[in-house]
Amino acid sequence: KGQSEPTAEEPHVQPETRDVQPSTTAELASSNPLPTQSVTAKSEGSAELQVIRSHSGLYKDKLSFPEFAHIVLVTAVNFAYLDFLRNWECNAHSLGLDWVTIALDDNAFDALDPGQRLRGKGQTNASSMEFLSKDFNMMSFNTLRTVFHILEDTGFDVVFSDSDNVFISDPFLPGKGRLGELIRSKQYDYVYQLNWSGPKKNYKFGEEQVEGNTGFYYASAARNRAAVLKVWADSLEQCNTAPQRDGQTNFWHALRQIRKKSAACFRLCGKATDDQKSCSFFPTPLDYCEMDPWKHRT
C-alpha cells in the first residue's frame, strides 16, 4: 500500500483515515497450512472470547452506540512495529475507541496488555521486514487467518485496521461517506477501502475493483455468514498456493475468482447483478461496497 498525502484535488475535505506507511502484516507457518484452523484449547478459546466481548462495541462507552455492540475493532502488530501500534493507540484512545490487538509473534504478545491482546494464528517473524518479502507475506496471511478465526469462531463482526492506519477523525460517527454510516445501514457484509493513491476527479461510486485495501475494512459474520466465510476460506487457500503474493492480493484474487464464475454471488453497493442465475457458492449474494475515498484515503 502506498504512502498517503493530503488530497490534491479537494484539499478542503479532511480524510477520516490514511495509511502512512506500507502495511505490516506477515508470516504463515508451513507446518500449519491454511485454511485449516489449529485446535484451540478450551481455556485459551474462552479467554479470547472474553477479551473480544469486553472490548466489543467500537467505543469505550458501551451505552451510547448500541448499534455497534456486536462489532469488535481489531488491529495487529509484530514486535518490530510496536511504535506504530502505540501511535495508532494514541489516536484511537483520543477518540474514545475500544479495540483488541492481534499479537503476531511471542515478543509482541508479551509486550501487550493481557486484557486486550489476541494471539495471532501461525508463526510470524518478530523482526522488521521488507514489503512483499516472504516474511511480510506470511505476516499478512496470519493476520487474515486470525480475523477468519474471530469471524468463524466468535460470530462477532470485525472492523480491521492496520496499525499504520491513522484515524484523523472518528470514522464511526454518523455522516455520509463515513464507514460508520455504511455499517449502520445494515446493507453490507463487506466494506472495503479503495486501494489507490488518491481519488480522481472522475471518480465514480460503486465500480468493480481489481483490488481493495485489506488494511482497513468491515466484515460481518452475522449478516451473511456463509458468503463471508467462503470468500475468507478461499483467500486463505490462495495464500497456501501463491505464497509469493501478499494477503491482500490473494484475498482479492479469491473474490474475483468467485465473481468471475458466478456474478450472481455479489451485489456491489446495492446494485442488482446482470446475471439472472442464482449464486453457485452460497445461498445469498454477498453485499459489498467501498468507503468514500474522500473520507477514507489510502
Side-chain angles (χ1 to χ4, degrees), residues 48 102-105 109 118-124 142 146:
E48 287 186 350
I102 298 170
L104 291 165
D105 62 83
F109 186 82
L118 301 175
R119 189 180 294 276
K121 304 301 176 184
Q123 299 297 316
T124 296
N142 285 346
T146 308

Side-chain angles (χ1 to χ4, degrees), residues 77-82 86 102-113 117 119 123-127:
V77 72
N78 84 326
F79 187 72
Y81 290 89
L82 278 176
R86 299 312 182 200
I102 298 170
L104 291 165
D105 62 83
D106 290 341
N107 291 340
F109 186 82
D110 292 341
L112 298 179
D113 180 352
R117 69 190 180 190
R119 189 180 294 276
Q123 299 297 316
T124 296
N125 192 320
S127 303

Side-chain angles (χ1 to χ4, degrees), residues 15-298:
E16 302 297 339
T17 52
R18 61 178 177 180
D19 208 5
V20 296
Q21 191 81 350
S23 173
T24 65
T25 9
E27 169 175 320
L28 179 67
S30 58
S31 61
N32 194 9
L34 296 170
T36 304
Q37 300 296 306
S38 58
V39 177
T40 305
K42 285 186 177 181
S43 58
E44 181 180 348
S46 176
E48 287 186 350
L49 181 58
Q50 183 56 42
V51 169
I52 291 170
R53 280 177 175 164
S54 63
H55 295 285
S56 63
L58 300 184
Y59 291 93
K60 294 189 185 317
D61 178 357
K62 305 303 179 186
L63 300 178
S64 296
F65 301 94
E67 66 271 31
F68 296 143
H70 208 66
I71 306 173
V72 60
L73 175 60
V74 180
T75 188
V77 72
N78 84 326
F79 187 72
Y81 290 89
L82 278 176
D83 54 344
F84 279 79
L85 175 66
R86 299 312 182 200
N87 180 70
W88 186 95
E89 290 177 328
C90 182
N91 285 322
H93 178 74
S94 70
L95 296 171
L97 301 178
D98 200 359
W99 65 89
V100 299
T101 302
I102 298 170
L104 291 165
D105 62 83
D106 290 341
N107 291 340
F109 186 82
D110 292 341
L112 298 179
D113 180 352
Q116 207 163 7
R117 69 190 180 190
L118 301 175
R119 189 180 294 276
K121 304 301 176 184
Q123 299 297 316
T124 296
N125 192 320
S127 303
S128 179
M129 52 195 75
E130 291 291 328
F131 182 56
L132 297 182
S133 66
K134 179 181 177 181
D135 283 343
F136 179 93
N137 290 348
M138 283 294 192
M139 184 168 63
S140 68
F141 304 163
N142 285 346
T143 302
L144 282 173
R145 190 167 174 227
T146 308
V147 172
F148 178 79
H149 161 73
I150 296 171
L151 292 168
E152 182 181 43
D153 292 354
T154 74
F156 278 87
D157 295 348
V158 170
V159 171
F160 179 80
S161 168
D162 274 338
S163 54
D164 62 357
N165 190 38
V166 177
F167 292 130
I168 297 173
S169 59
D170 189 341
F172 305 118
L173 290 177
K176 185 177 180 180
R178 294 176 186 260
L179 173 58
E181 196 72 6
L182 293 169
I183 296 173
R184 283 184 179 88
S185 74
K186 299 183 179 180
Q187 295 180 11
Y188 302 112
D189 311 306
Y190 185 68
V191 179
Y192 57 91
Q193 186 180 38
L194 290 175
N195 188 42
W196 57 2
S197 59
K200 302 175 183 178
K201 289 187 176 180
N202 62 350
Y203 161 71
K204 293 181 180 179
F205 173 76
E207 293 186 333
E208 292 286 5
Q209 299 296 317
V210 174
E211 186 174 301
N213 179 19
T214 55
F216 190 43
Y217 60 83
Y218 163 75
S220 175
R223 189 177 185 275
N224 194 350
R225 178 181 174 85
V228 170
L229 294 185
K230 167 65 176 172
V231 172
W232 234 269
D234 281 15
S235 72
L236 296 179
E237 185 57 39
Q238 284 291 321
C239 293
N240 281 335
T241 59
Q244 73 279 9
R245 301 189 302 230
D246 70 345
Q248 176 172 293
T249 302
N250 281 321
F251 181 91
W252 278 87
H253 178 81
L255 188 150
R256 291 197 311 272
Q257 288 297 103
I258 299 174
R259 192 168 67 193
K260 182 178 179 180
K261 293 174 182 177
S262 182
C265 288
F266 295 91
R267 278 192 297 257
L268 177 60
C269 300
K271 299 176 182 178
T273 176
D274 293 334
D275 190 343
Q276 299 302 312
K277 300 177 182 178
S278 60
C279 176
S280 305
F281 296 95
F282 25 84
T284 306
L286 184 143
D287 286 290
Y288 69 136
C289 196
E290 68 211 43
M291 302 178 202
D292 183 346
W294 297 109
K295 292 290 185 181
H296 303 283
R297 170 78 179 270
T298 309

